[in-house]
Amino acid sequence: MDSKVEAWGVRALVALATIGTLPVVSAHGSDHTPAYPQWLALVVLLAGVGIVATSVFFGRTAWSHRRTLALWGVFAGLFVTVVGAVGLVQFSVIETVRAAQAPLAQEWYHPLTLAAGTIIAVGSVLAGRIKLPDRPRYAGLGLLLGAWVAYPAVMSAFGTRTHPLGYVLVVALPVPLGYILWRDARESLSWALRNRPARWFGVGSGVLAGLFFAFSMGMLSFIPEHGIGIPDGAFVTTVPVANPLVYWTAVEFNFPSVPLSGVLSLGMLIQIGTVAVLVGLNAAVIAFQWQGATKTGSHEISSDTAAIAAPAACCCCGPLISELAVVSVGPSAAAPLYWLFVDLASPIGALFFVFSVALLTGNLAYFGMLNE
């Protein structure tokens, strides 16, 4: 069982690190001057990682009953890490991104996006028929995720971003995910969630993940933006937002006295909510195994360090890649990498999203199969 737990921990590390690669976007793309230097946020982020590492070390060298204390140390470290990560994104010194700085000509985006979506869909069907012929729900999820990737390229031929199919793809995404977890991981997840520390660690990690991705995707911001068409002072209005997949009517708000501004739509909330729930469930399972808990309530110290470090990797990777590049090599050199995440026509964001959803869901299903 130890080798299985270790393998699951490594899979969780990869999945939670990958989910961090959701695209960085901006609500308006207007210029702003950060109130603090970006390196200060990097220091906070590294401090959070240090707290996580220290807590993990303490937990691995302590008796099982002290692992709960170490678990809360890990969560505190994650909180500090997320604060630093959000600051790193918010204090970005890249103010404008020009098309000339794109690493790939935009005419290549559509064929690459269509090819990637087709490969995912066809590969899912073939893999489902060969590996899991008795569980077609996995092939169905792969088809849906492949359609999510290919949709923008297919619909570009019709010149519309309001096709009903796009709304169906977004709204329907949580349905097969919930069905898979209900069928294949329901009982195992109930064991983990009955463990109080694991349950609250999962809830807290999911909330942190949701907030981090909301800030990194430009849905929320604590730095007020100024520019043409952006009213001064507090306001609440509605605007069309072309993400995810189609145009959504979003609520835009700005409260300078808080300070907090943002743009929220149903599609964005579904996308972020899906990610947050999957991260939270994975974190709960990781905490459950970290404490050595079993379905009978006994305790065995068998969890691997990689398992408990996985949520930290989730908070430190992804959208921060471009920001860390800015800190390391400067805005001009980092602009091509930044462009890949900013441009909505780029397939990078959709690919990272669907692979992250698939991996996180697969981890939970795998955990359920281990405990059948």
Side-chain angles (χ1 to χ4, degrees):
M1 176 62 73
D2 289 356
S3 61
K4 290 183 177 180
V5 171
E6 181 175 352
W8 192 91
V10 173
R11 285 163 59 87
L13 175 63
V14 174
L16 288 173
T18 305
I19 193 65
T21 51
L22 286 172
V24 177
V25 299
S26 174
H28 292 286
S30 63
D31 296 351
H32 66 265
T33 302
Y36 301 97
Q38 198 174 29
W39 62 262
L40 182 61
L42 180 61
V43 170
V44 175
L45 186 150
L46 294 177
V49 173
I51 296 173
V52 171
T54 302
S55 300
V56 169
F57 176 79
F58 173 78
R60 287 186 61 82
T61 57
W63 294 101
S64 59
H65 68 279
R66 292 187 179 179
R67 286 202 161 195
T68 300
L69 179 61
L71 187 66
W72 296 124
V74 170
F75 182 77
L78 291 180
F79 178 82
V80 175
T81 301
V82 168
V83 171
V86 169
L88 196 63
V89 173
Q90 292 286 291
F91 299 153
S92 173
V93 295
I94 292 185
E95 297 182 348
T96 59
V97 181
R98 297 183 297 276
Q101 294 174 292
L104 188 67
Q106 282 198 334
E107 55 263 24
W108 286 100
Y109 282 161
H110 285 166
L112 289 176
T113 300
L114 183 60
T118 303
I119 290 172
I120 293 172
V122 174
S124 298
V125 173
L126 293 177
R129 293 285 297 176
I130 296 172
K131 296 290 186 180
L132 297 168
D134 58 334
R135 301 187 182 190
R137 49 190 172 273
Y138 291 97
L141 176 61
L143 279 172
L144 179 62
L145 295 178
W148 182 296
V149 174
Y151 176 86
V154 174
M155 286 297 110
S156 66
F158 300 95
T160 178
R161 293 190 68 103
T162 58
H163 195 279
L165 177 60
Y167 297 98
V168 171
L169 288 175
V170 176
V171 175
L173 179 60
V175 176
L177 297 178
Y179 179 69
I180 288 174
L181 297 183
W182 178 261
R183 288 291 303 272
D184 298 332
R186 177 176 74 252
E187 189 174 355
S188 298
L189 285 176
S190 69
W191 302 331
L193 295 177
R194 279 198 294 265
N195 181 282
R196 186 176 180 182
R199 181 174 66 250
W200 284 109
F201 184 80
V203 171
S205 298
V207 171
L208 287 179
L211 289 175
F212 170 63
F213 296 133
F215 276 101
S216 68
M217 294 178 68
M219 293 170 59
L220 298 175
S221 176
F222 57 77
I223 297 180
E225 298 192 14
H226 305 281
I228 299 176
I230 303 178
D232 292 328
F235 66 87
V236 177
T237 186
T238 57
V239 293
V241 177
N243 193 44
L245 300 185
V246 289
Y247 276 112
W248 300 84
T249 299
V251 176
E252 182 179 20
F253 57 88
N254 181 42
F255 303 106
S257 59
V258 175
L260 182 68
S261 62
V263 179
L264 300 175
S265 71
L266 177 60
M268 290 177 174
L269 292 176
I270 291 174
Q271 188 176 19
I272 292 296
T274 299
V275 170
V277 169
L278 289 175
V279 169
L281 290 175
N282 273 269
V285 169
I286 289 168
F288 178 71
Q289 292 192 330
W290 167 251
Q291 297 177 99
T294 66
K295 59 184 176 182
T296 61
S298 61
H299 290 269
E300 300 172 357
I301 302 177
S302 59
S303 299
D304 187 80
T305 303
I308 196 63
C314 162
C315 295
C316 294
C317 297
L320 301 180
I321 293 176
S322 58
E323 301 301 339
L324 289 173
V326 173
V327 174
S328 303
V329 300
S332 298
L337 176 62
Y338 193 84
W339 178 268
L340 286 176
F341 291 95
V342 171
D343 191 359
L344 292 178
S346 170
I348 298 297
L351 286 173
F352 277 132
F353 174 72
V354 299
F355 278 123
S356 299
V357 167
L359 285 171
L360 286 168
T361 305
N363 283 337
L364 295 172
Y366 180 70
F367 174 69
M369 294 175 189
L370 283 180
N371 293 278
E372 286 181 346

